[in-house]
Amino acid sequence: MGPTAEPPPGLPDQPNLTRHPTATSEDKGNEMNTAPPTEPLNATALQDEFASLGVRPGSVLMVHSSLSAFGHVDGGADAVVRALCATVGRKGTIVVPTYTRQVADPYPDSHAFDDLGTAEARAAVPLFHDALPTAMGAVPSAVLGHPDRVRSRHPQASLAALGADAHTICAGQPLGYALGSGSPFAKIHQLGGSILLLGVGHNRNSFLHHAESLVPTHRKKLRRFPYLVDGERVWLEALDVGNDNDTHFPLIGAEFAALGLSRSRVIGSALCQLVPAVAFVDYARKRLSQLLHRSGHRRPSVADI
C-alpha cells in the first residue's frame, strides 16, 4: 500500500458516519447486502440518507448501483433517481453507466467470414442508438427513461446523465479508450466529482478502468462493434483498457477505504460508499502501476465490455 494521502478538500467531517475499512464483499459478488432495514425506504428517506452519507448540493456523482441490495424501496428505481437528483439539486449532476454489451461481435475470435451462421449472427447485432436499452440494472434504466437525460454515443460504453453538467460530461466520448482521456470519466474527474456505490463493490467501479488507462503498462483489449460510416454498416475495432475480473480492483477499493478518505453508510440493506474521484484515481493509478508491474498481463484480445 502507498503512503496515506491527505483528505481531499470539500469533504466535510461526519462523526456519525459508519466506516467499513475492511469490507471486501465485492470479492464475492456484485451486491453488498447487510441486515434487513427497520424503516421503509422511499424517495424522501433516501434523500435524507444520501445527505447523511455526504452527498451535497452541486455534487457530480458517478453512480453504480444495485436496487435489490436496498431491500424494498417504495417507488423502485424511479424513487432512487428522484432522491439522487433532489440531493444534488439543480446545480448537481448524476451519471450512470448505460453500457450495451449486445452491441458486440458474437464471435470475437472467429475469422470465418464466409461462414453463413457466423455472418447471420453478426448481421443481427444491433447498431447503437440513443434509446437502446441497457442491462446495467434498474437505476440506469430509470435514468434512461427520464425525459431530461443526456446520453453519450459510444456503441458499447455509453453513460447517461441528469443535471447541470450532463451535456458537458456526455459530449464527445472517444471510440478508443472509451473510459480514458477525454471520456465522461475524465470530465467527472476534472469537475471534482465523486463515485457513489449503492449496494455494489469496487468490482463495479468503472473509475478503476479510467485510472488504469493512465498507467503506461495497462492491460488492453479490443472492442469490436458495428458502426455506421457514411450510411454504410461496418465493423470497427477500438483499443481499450482490459477487464480486471476481480484481480486487482476489489483490493484497491478496500485499501482506499482503509485510508479513511471515503465514507460509508448502510441504507436499507445496502452498504453504500461515497468516494472522492480525484483522490481515488490518484491512489488507484499508483497502486495499479505497482500491481501490474509485479504480475504482468496478457496480450490484447477481442472482447466486449
Side-chain angles (χ1 to χ4, degrees):
M1 185 184 301
T4 301
E6 291 297 322
L11 199 62
D13 290 334
Q14 295 269 341
N16 62 340
L17 223 267
T18 302
R19 286 180 177 168
H20 298 262
T22 60
T24 57
S25 58
E26 58 265 37
D27 291 331
K28 302 175 184 178
N30 287 337
E31 296 184 5
M32 299 182 73
N33 300 80
T34 63
T38 57
E39 297 292 336
L41 284 178
N42 54 31
T44 301
L46 284 169
Q47 183 179 348
D48 291 340
E49 292 285 357
F50 294 150
S52 295
L53 179 58
V55 176
R56 297 290 179 258
S59 296
V60 177
L61 301 178
M62 179 67 219
V63 183
H64 292 281
S65 60
S66 167
L67 179 64
S68 62
F70 286 105
H72 178 72
V73 177
D74 290 341
D78 288 334
V80 176
V81 174
R82 289 198 305 273
L84 288 169
C85 289
T87 310
V88 302
R90 292 184 178 181
K91 294 183 179 180
T93 308
I94 66 167
V95 189
V96 295
T98 52
Y99 306 154
T100 44
R101 296 182 175 94
Q102 65 269 42
V103 187
D105 191 345
Y107 296 99
D109 298 317
S110 174
H111 297 285
F113 297 104
D114 56 350
D115 178 77
L116 181 60
T118 301
E120 289 178 346
R122 285 172 170 157
V125 174
L127 290 165
F128 175 83
H129 57 85
D130 185 70
L132 189 67
T134 180
M136 294 303 294
V139 173
S141 295
V143 173
L144 273 186
H146 196 287
D148 297 327
R149 60 86 174 160
V150 181
R151 191 179 192 180
S152 66
R153 299 290 299 169
H154 194 280
Q156 291 183 347
S158 67
L159 292 95
L162 281 166
D165 291 304
H167 286 277
T168 298
I169 290 169
C170 291
Q173 187 175 12
L175 292 176
Y177 286 94
L179 280 63
S181 177
S183 73
F185 292 90
K187 295 170 187 175
I188 294 168
H189 182 274
Q190 291 165 3
L191 290 167
S194 296
I195 304 151
L196 182 60
L197 303 177
L198 301 178
V200 299
H202 283 277
N203 61 341
R204 291 274 297 276
N205 181 0
S206 296
F207 247 106
L208 280 158
H209 292 291
H210 175 69
E212 186 172 343
S213 75
L214 306 177
V215 178
T217 56
H218 60 266
R219 294 163 290 186
K220 299 178 179 68
K221 70 179 180 184
L222 284 173
R223 298 182 183 272
R224 183 181 290 162
F225 43 81
Y227 198 75
L228 282 183
V229 177
D230 294 331
E232 179 184 4
R233 177 185 168 111
V234 298
W235 282 87
L236 296 186
E237 290 183 347
L239 197 62
D240 213 328
V241 175
N243 299 327
D244 181 70
N245 298 319
D246 290 357
T247 303
H248 300 307
F249 289 1
L251 171 65
I252 291 170
E255 288 179 349
F256 188 81
L259 297 177
L261 299 183
S262 58
R263 299 184 177 281
S264 63
R265 183 178 181 87
V266 175
I267 302 177
S269 299
L271 175 61
C272 301
Q273 302 175 70
L274 182 66
V275 183
V278 173
F280 183 75
V281 168
D282 184 59
Y283 179 81
R285 177 181 58 80
K286 293 173 183 176
R287 283 297 282 135
L288 281 165
S289 182
Q290 296 168 354
L291 293 166
L292 294 175
H293 178 73
R294 293 172 189 169
S295 63
H297 51 87
R298 60 184 176 85
R299 295 178 178 179
S301 64
V302 176
D304 59 2
I305 299 171

